[in-house]
Structure formats: C-alpha cells, structure tokens
Amino acid sequence: MDDFKSPLAELVNSPLDRLDTSSRQVDRLLPTTGQPDLALGEVVQLVEAIARHLRPAEPLQHLKELQLAATEGWLLSSSEVEGLVGCKPRVQKGEQQFTRGSFCFVRSGKIGNQSAWKVVKVN
C-alpha cells in the first residue's frame, strides 16, 4: 500500500494550489480552468447575493410607475407597457384601447416603430 499515493495528497501538493498569505488558507484552483474551486457554502452565498439583486425592490413598484405615467400624461411605448404589465398590449380589431388590472391603455400614435400608449387609471 505504500506504493500508492493518496489522490488527496497529490491534489494538495499540486502546483495549482495557492496560499493566501492574509488568511493563511489554501485556495484550490481547478486544473481545467485555473479558477478557484468554491465550496458549496460559498456558491450558495453567491447565488443568494445575485438573487437579491434580481428581485424587484418593491412588488408594487410597477403600479406606482403606471400611476405616475397616468398622472403626468406620458406616452409609453409598447415595450415599456410590456415591461410594466407583463404582457404585450393587444387590442381587438376596431378598438383603440386595452385594459389590464386598474389601468386602461389607449393607443395614441407611434413612438419610433412601436405604438404609443396613454395610461388611464380605471376607477
């Protein structure tokens, strides 16, 4: 058995290990990429940090933005409406408006190559 080296001993003594002198810990680098080998806990922390930034700051933020657009009389492009309400604005043939939740969107010309929509608060 002394003739066989432990795979762990080979990894620890490999040239891909790097000593972090500030923390006195060894950072293991993956042999295929040369990137640090992260522990599972570190990966979970990284994913949680990314998820916090992807979540909207406030769940009702889109409604506040629609209310502001309605109050100010702003025209929104189709892509802006889609980003705020979660679906493309579609109207039935012969109609000029569509309603989603508490807001009505009235087709009001064009913004570039997209339809322009006036936002009206439904009471």
Side-chain angles (χ1 to χ4, degrees):
M1 285 298 227
D2 291 335
D3 294 340
F4 297 102
K5 292 183 179 179
S6 163
L8 182 59
E10 288 179 13
L11 284 175
V12 170
N13 296 322
S14 76
L16 296 176
D17 291 342
R18 181 180 61 206
L19 178 63
D20 181 357
T21 55
S22 63
S23 65
R24 299 197 182 275
Q25 294 183 359
V26 174
D27 290 336
R28 175 130 327 116
L29 300 179
L30 296 175
T32 55
T33 63
Q35 298 297 315
D37 181 16
L38 298 176
L40 182 59
E42 293 172 316
V43 173
V44 170
Q45 288 176 348
L46 180 61
V47 170
E48 287 174 344
I50 292 170
R52 276 193 300 275
H53 291 286
L54 294 178
R55 252 184 275 160
E58 289 184 51
L60 301 178
Q61 184 61 36
H62 67 286
L63 297 176
K64 292 177 183 178
E65 292 174 10
L66 288 170
Q67 178 66 45
L68 182 60
T71 303
E72 297 294 327
W74 296 335
L75 296 179
L76 303 179
S77 68
S78 294
S79 61
E80 291 170 327
V81 172
E82 182 179 5
L84 290 169
V85 300
C87 68
K88 289 184 179 183
R90 301 255 190 238
V91 294
Q92 300 295 325
K93 188 172 185 171
E95 294 185 6
Q96 292 295 313
Q97 66 184 26
F98 96 105
T99 302
R100 176 84 171 186
S102 299
F103 294 93
C104 180
F105 300 88
V106 181
R107 185 179 285 159
S108 303
K110 297 285 245 178
I111 298 176
N113 63 350
Q114 298 181 28
S115 293
W117 300 91
K118 182 177 180 175
V119 184
V120 178
K121 177 85 163 108
V122 178
N123 291 327

